[in-house]
Amino acid sequence: MGHKVAVYGASGHTGRFVLAELEKRGFEPLPFGRAQATADYPAALDRALTGAAAVINTAGPFAVTALPLIAAAERVGIPYVDVAAEIEANADTFARGASIPVVPAMAFFGGLADLLVTAAMADWTTADSAH
């Protein structure tokens, strides 16, 4: 197997898909979730990320889980990716800034596209279309 990738929320619907895809691509998944590390327990998050080359967050609500997992990823010095489709959580993730690569909304439901359109619109409250 290749690099180890921690997957938060691994027992959930999306987490199981992520685990299967990682294995298919030759990565070694390190599955964990709230039973091992809640978002409000930094030491447990740090332990869960030990030895990982990256972390993928599949456990929402991302407004609760994203920032604590990003902070833990920073402490251990690994990249963070999530599958959030929560615009506010994604905006908070971008606004926070980080010392590691952080890529939110790497999934489905158009979360990243929605966030980019929202950022591009700035103070506009409506638009007929976006291309």
Side-chain angles (χ1 to χ4, degrees):
M1 286 247 158
H3 293 294
K4 296 178 181 181
V5 178
V7 180
Y8 189 65
S11 64
H13 182 76
T14 303
R16 289 191 305 270
F17 284 124
V18 170
L19 292 176
E21 189 64 27
L22 286 169
E23 288 174 346
K24 184 173 105 179
R25 293 175 180 256
F27 292 91
E28 182 179 343
L30 300 175
F32 74 110
R34 290 179 179 94
Q36 297 86 10
T38 60
D40 61 349
Y41 189 21
L45 291 173
D46 294 353
R47 279 192 302 278
L49 298 182
T50 299
V55 60
I56 301 172
N57 181 6
T58 67
F62 294 92
V64 174
T65 63
L67 294 181
L69 274 168
I70 291 169
E74 280 186 303
R75 288 190 298 274
V76 298
I78 61 173
Y80 167 93
V81 175
D82 72 33
V83 298
E86 301 168 18
I87 299 306
E88 294 81 7
N90 291 333
D92 289 347
T93 298
F94 281 120
R96 180 191 183 280
S99 61
I100 55 165
V102 172
V103 185
M106 288 303 297
F108 38 82
F109 304 125
L112 184 56
D114 288 349
L115 180 62
L116 292 172
V117 169
T118 301
M121 288 180 55
D123 295 333
W124 296 358
T125 56
T126 62
D128 293 329
S129 64
H131 301 276

